[in-house]
Amino acid sequence: MPECEGLSSFVKENFSSLRQQIEILVKFRAGRIQQREDVTLSDIYTAFGENEGFGQRTQGILCALERKVEADLLRPVLRNINRVKSLVQAGKRVVIISDMYLEEGTIRRILTKIDPVFETLPMYISSKYGAAKYTGKIYQIAWEKEGKPRRWFHCGDDPLRDNAVPAKFGIQCDLYGGVMLPFEKDIDALFGHCRYHQLAVGTARLLRSEGVHSIAYEVGCSLGGPMLYAYVAWILQECQKRDIRRLYFIARDGYVPKKIADDIITQDWLPVETKYVYCSHEIWNLAALTEDEGDFQRLVYSMNPQNITSAADFALFLKVPFDEMIRFFPEEYRGALSREKLAQLLAFLDADRSFRKWLFQQYTPRRELAMRYLAQEIDTHDSHFAFVEINGTGHTQERMASLMQKQYPHRIRHFYYTMFIGMGTFCEFSIFLPGRFLHVGVIEGLSRACHKQTVALKEENGDIIPILGGKDGTSLREYGYDDYIRGVLDFCRAFHPVAVKYHADLNVEYLIAFVRNFLAHVDGLHAQWLMDMPGNGWKVDGQITHLAPKFSKKDIRELFLLYPNEILSRYAGGDLELSLRRCSNRDRRRIEKYKKYREQILARYHSLYKVNRNAR
C-alpha cells in the first residue's frame, strides 16, 4: 500500500514474524504490569510502531488491513451456525465467548454479515475484559454477568481452552470437530508462516468440521488434497509458460489429477483441454519392444520380474505361448528359476537373435493396436501438448513415445510428480519434485483410480478400445477410496480461490516435510488408513497387496533371516520403510537379532533339521 511506504525493508520482509513476536511481547507486558491476560489489536500495532519507528497513521492503516484480511479469510461453519439459530429459536440463552484480539464491534460486524442471528447475542471477548480462556477467567466473568446460571453448555474446537479448562468449572463441553490433526500441529511448528500451509490447513479444518466424515475423506482433504493440488497447479503454470494447450493424463495415476485440473481450468477459464488415456506399463513395454540386442533385457527389468520363479512364470510374464517359447530355453533353465539363474537366462536369450526376432513377431499385433490407439487418442497436429504421470523412471513413457514417432517424430513433454532418472531419447521430462523422493509409494497411493487396470487393447467397430481387468479397482472402492477422492476434490475446489487471491506460492520443502510429518504418526488412524490401502500396483502378479503392510512373524523371518538379499522382491507392499516403522519394539529387536546373528541362527536351524531327519 502506498500509505505504508515508510515501513523499512526489514519490517516488510519479516512482517509476519515481527507481528507475532510483538503480540507475545505486548501480552507479556500487559500480564506483568496490568495483570491483563489479553490485549487488543490496537495495543499490538501501537507497540509495533513504537518498536519499528512508524507512526500512528501507518499503525491505523495496518490495523484496518488486518481486520479486512481476517474478515476475508473467515469461513462459516454452517453446522454450528444452524445450531446457534436452533437454540435461539427454542428460547435458549446463547452467548459468544472468544479468545481474540479483535474488538467486539469488529467481530460482531463480521459475524452479522454471515448471519443476522449474531446481531444481538451477548459477547465476551478476551481482549475487552483482559481475561482469557486458558486460565478460565473469561468463563468466570461470563458466568457472573449472566446471573450465575446453574447449567451451562459450551461448544468449541480447542481441546484445552474449549474443553479441559471450562470442564473444571462444571461446564458441560462439546468439541465439535475441525481441530488440527497431530501432523498439522507438527508442520505448523516448522512452517507456521507459510501462506500455503495456513490456507491449506484452514481449508482442511473447515471441511472436516462440516459434519461427520470418514477417515478416508479426511485423508483426502487433509493430505491428498494439498499434495495433489500443488502438483496440478504447477503443471497448469507450466502450461501457460510453455504454451501447452492439451494435457493427456495417463491411467491410472492420472485419474485424480485430471479431475483437479478440470476444476481449476473451469474456475480460471484456462485455455487447456484435458483427456484421460487408458494404458499400462505392460501394453507400452511389450508393444514397443525392438529386435535390438539389449532391448529385451531392458524390457524385462523395467517390468519388475521378481515374481518369475519358473519357465511357466516367464511365459505368463511375457504374454507368449509357453510351448513355443520353451524351445529357446537351454535344458537347465526349464525348471525352477532362482534370481541368479533368471539373470543368466535373460543374458542368454538377449544374445539369441532368433529368439529376439521370434518375440518381436509375437508382439506385432500388440504393436499395431497400440500405435493405432495412440493415433486415435492423441492430437499431434502441433507441439502444444504434454502427458501427465505421477512417478517412475520414464522408461515406459519412452516406450510409448517411440510408438508415436511415425505420427509425431519429435520429443514429447511429460510431467512427473517425482522421478528417478529424468532423461530420455523421445521424451522431455519436467519433474515437480526432482531427485529421489523417499515415499514414492505414498504419492502413488494418493493418486489412484477405482477402475480396473488396462490389460489389453482391441478393435471394435473401427475403434481401438481398452480392455480392463484385475481386481484392485474393486478393492479400492470397497476400501472407501471414492470417499477419499471426494475429500481431495472438495479441498481443491475450496482451496483454489483463496490460494489465488492470497498468492499461496508453492513450497517444495514444505510439501516434503508435509508428507514426512503425516507419516511420522504411524499409529494414527489417518496414517494407518493410507498404509493399509489395497492395490496390485506395487506387485506384478495381480495379487492384492497393501501400501505398507504390517509384518507378521513369518514375514520378518523370511525377509530378514532366510532371504535378506531378496527383501525388495519378496516384500509385499509399496513402502518398506513404513512397514518397518509399524513394527513393535519386540519386532524391531527380532529384526536386529536376525541381522546380527543370521549365520549362527541358520546353522542352528540346519543342525536341528539334520537331527530330526535322522530321527525319522
Side-chain angles (χ1 to χ4, degrees):
M1 294 177 65
E3 297 90 338
C4 297
E5 290 178 356
L7 293 178
S8 68
S9 59
F10 171 75
V11 172
K12 291 178 181 178
E13 292 168 7
N14 299 276
F15 186 86
S16 177
S17 297
L18 290 172
R19 160 64 181 80
Q20 292 182 61
Q21 293 303 314
I22 285 290
E23 181 176 346
I24 294 171
L25 174 64
V26 174
K27 284 185 177 181
F28 180 78
R29 286 177 180 170
R32 187 61 74 85
I33 299 171
Q34 302 172 318
Q35 284 73 53
R36 289 177 59 85
E37 296 175 353
D38 207 353
V39 295
T40 67
L41 188 64
S42 297
D43 294 333
I44 295 169
Y45 275 100
T46 297
F48 200 171
E50 292 173 351
N51 194 68
E52 300 299 340
F54 55 84
Q56 291 183 357
R57 175 176 169 76
T58 302
Q59 295 166 23
I61 291 171
L62 292 175
C63 264
L65 181 60
E66 182 160 337
R67 293 188 186 100
K68 182 179 184 305
V69 171
E70 287 276 6
D72 288 346
L73 287 175
L74 192 68
R75 295 293 181 272
V77 180
L78 297 178
R79 184 162 64 104
N80 280 349
I81 293 173
N82 291 333
R83 193 176 191 179
V84 169
K85 292 167 71 174
S86 297
L87 289 170
V88 171
Q89 290 170 3
K92 303 296 184 182
R93 177 70 169 173
V94 180
V95 302
I96 307 296
I97 300 176
S98 176
D99 261 349
M100 192 60 175
Y101 48 75
L102 291 180
E103 306 84 353
E104 179 181 330
T106 301
I107 294 175
R108 191 177 298 281
R109 283 193 298 274
I110 292 173
L111 294 179
T112 303
K113 274 189 176 182
I114 295 172
D115 196 285
V117 72
F118 296 105
E119 191 170 0
T120 58
L121 294 183
M123 291 188 177
Y124 297 92
I125 312 300
S126 61
S127 59
K128 176 180 179 179
Y129 292 97
K133 287 182 177 180
Y134 72 90
T135 63
K137 190 175 179 181
I138 189 68
Y139 294 111
Q140 289 181 302
I141 292 172
W143 181 70
E144 291 174 359
K145 288 186 174 292
E146 290 297 317
K148 301 180 180 180
R150 286 179 296 174
R151 294 189 61 192
W152 185 349
F153 183 87
H154 180 70
C155 180
D157 67 350
D158 188 285
L160 174 64
R161 292 172 171 82
D162 294 310
N163 190 64
V165 172
K168 292 179 180 179
F169 294 91
I171 301 172
Q172 185 179 346
C173 303
D174 177 31
L175 285 174
Y176 65 80
V179 298
M180 290 178 71
L181 300 178
F183 88 97
E184 290 173 334
K185 293 179 181 178
D186 292 347
I187 200 73
D188 190 64
L190 300 171
F191 291 89
H193 301 162
C194 173
R195 267 177 291 180
Y196 191 93
H197 162 73
Q198 293 176 356
L199 295 171
V201 171
T203 301
R205 287 184 66 189
L206 179 63
L207 291 171
R208 295 196 301 265
S209 71
E210 293 175 342
V212 178
H213 299 290
S214 67
I215 294 296
Y217 179 90
E218 292 192 348
V219 173
C221 68
S222 307
L223 177 69
M227 294 299 295
L228 293 177
Y229 173 87
Y231 177 48
V232 174
W234 171 76
I235 290 173
L236 294 176
Q237 289 174 10
E238 290 294 300
C239 286
Q240 305 311 300
K241 185 166 62 178
R242 301 175 186 272
D243 195 20
I244 293 172
R245 303 167 195 167
R246 301 183 300 284
L247 287 174
Y248 296 96
F249 291 80
I250 302 296
R252 291 176 292 173
D253 291 348
Y255 181 81
V256 181
K258 181 185 184 301
K259 287 186 170 294
I260 297 170
D262 289 341
D263 280 342
I264 295 175
I265 289 168
T266 299
Q267 287 190 46
D268 292 355
W269 293 81
L270 297 178
V272 181
E273 298 177 4
T274 68
K275 191 170 187 177
Y276 190 61
V277 180
Y278 288 88
C279 63
S280 67
H281 298 297
E282 177 185 306
I283 287 177
W284 302 140
N285 278 294
L286 299 184
L289 180 69
T290 70
E291 292 186 68
D292 298 339
E293 186 171 357
D295 200 35
F296 170 69
Q297 287 197 77
R298 285 192 292 272
L299 163 72
V300 175
Y301 284 124
S302 71
M303 292 175 63
N304 302 319
Q306 61 263 35
N307 294 297
I308 300 175
T309 59
S310 67
D313 287 344
F314 209 169
L316 290 172
F317 180 86
L318 294 175
K319 309 298 180 186
V320 295
F322 172 76
D323 55 349
E324 294 184 32
M325 180 197 73
I326 197 66
R327 62 190 172 93
F328 294 99
F329 281 38
E331 190 65 36
E332 64 267 30
Y333 296 108
R334 297 190 179 192
L337 291 174
S338 64
R339 291 182 66 190
E340 183 179 358
K341 290 185 73 172
L342 177 60
Q344 295 170 354
L345 176 61
L346 289 177
F348 175 84
L349 294 174
D350 195 68
D352 185 343
R353 180 179 295 179
S354 60
F355 172 77
R356 298 199 311 267
K357 183 177 181 180
W358 171 81
L359 191 60
F360 180 78
Q361 291 172 346
Q362 287 288 314
Y363 293 152
T364 297
R366 288 175 171 270
R367 185 163 46 255
E368 292 175 351
L369 282 173
M371 293 173 70
R372 288 178 60 189
Y373 178 69
L374 289 168
Q376 168 187 291
E377 297 296 312
I378 312 303
D379 180 356
T380 57
H381 79 275
D382 59 30
S383 62
H384 304 298
F385 69 96
F387 289 87
V388 179
E389 256 280 15
I390 290 293
N391 172 63
T393 63
H395 177 85
T396 301
Q397 303 316 114
E398 275 281 297
R399 294 281 187 175
M400 184 190 75
S402 71
L403 294 169
M404 295 177 60
Q405 285 301 292
K406 286 187 177 180
Q407 76 180 88
Y408 188 78
H410 311 285
R411 298 184 79 194
I412 299 173
R413 174 74 54 188
H414 289 260
F415 291 111
Y416 271 78
Y417 201 119
T418 182
M419 194 180 201
F420 297 141
I421 299 175
M423 297 181 64
T425 302
F426 303 110
C427 300
E428 294 182 23
F429 297 112
S430 295
I431 310 168
F432 181 51
L433 294 183
R436 187 170 177 81
F437 185 72
L438 187 59
H439 297 290
V440 294
V442 170
I443 298 298
E444 291 176 345
L446 296 176
S447 186
R448 307 199 75 78
C450 288
H451 65 71
K452 297 178 180 180
Q453 185 177 1
T454 308
V455 296
L457 298 171
K458 69 176 182 179
E459 182 177 0
E460 189 173 287
N461 300 323
D463 294 327
I464 309 301
I465 61 173
I467 301 174
L468 305 183
K471 51 190 177 182
D472 65 328
T474 301
S475 298
L476 279 173
R477 181 166 284 113
E478 292 173 349
Y479 192 64
Y481 201 83
D482 280 328
D483 217 20
Y484 161 81
I485 294 176
R486 188 169 62 86
V488 171
L489 299 181
D490 282 355
F491 171 87
C492 293
R493 292 186 189 111
F495 179 70
H496 179 66
V498 294
V500 171
K501 182 174 182 179
Y502 293 101
H503 307 287
D505 296 333
L506 305 178
N507 186 319
V508 169
E509 183 182 357
Y510 168 72
L511 294 172
I512 294 173
F514 195 73
V515 174
R516 187 187 306 122
N517 280 273
F518 179 87
L519 298 176
H521 297 272
V522 291
D523 295 328
L525 293 177
H526 298 83
Q528 287 183 16
W529 182 89
L530 183 64
M531 292 185 292
D532 289 335
M533 181 189 300
N536 70 359
W538 300 289
K539 290 292 174 186
V540 298
D541 59 1
Q543 297 300 309
I544 297 300
T545 59
H546 301 274
L547 172 57
K550 203 167 186 177
F551 288 141
S552 65
K553 290 182 180 179
K554 179 183 177 183
D555 295 330
I556 292 173
R557 184 171 60 252
E558 289 187 353
L559 293 176
F560 300 98
L561 178 63
L562 302 178
Y563 308 104
N565 297 324
E566 302 177 22
I567 288 179
L568 292 181
S569 62
R570 290 179 175 271
Y571 169 62
D575 197 312
L576 178 61
E577 184 189 332
L578 278 183
S579 288
L580 287 170
R581 286 193 202 174
R582 301 186 74 179
C583 290
S584 65
N585 290 332
R586 174 180 289 184
D587 287 339
R588 291 191 183 97
R589 288 194 295 269
R590 182 179 288 112
I591 290 171
E592 290 305 314
K593 178 181 177 182
Y594 287 162
K595 288 180 178 179
K596 189 173 182 179
Y597 302 108
R598 178 173 181 263
E599 296 300 328
Q600 296 94 312
I601 295 172
L602 288 178
R604 184 183 175 192
Y605 280 177
H606 183 66
S607 63
L608 289 173
Y609 170 75
K610 288 176 65 177
V611 169
N612 290 332
R613 186 179 64 177
N614 293 334
R616 287 198 296 268

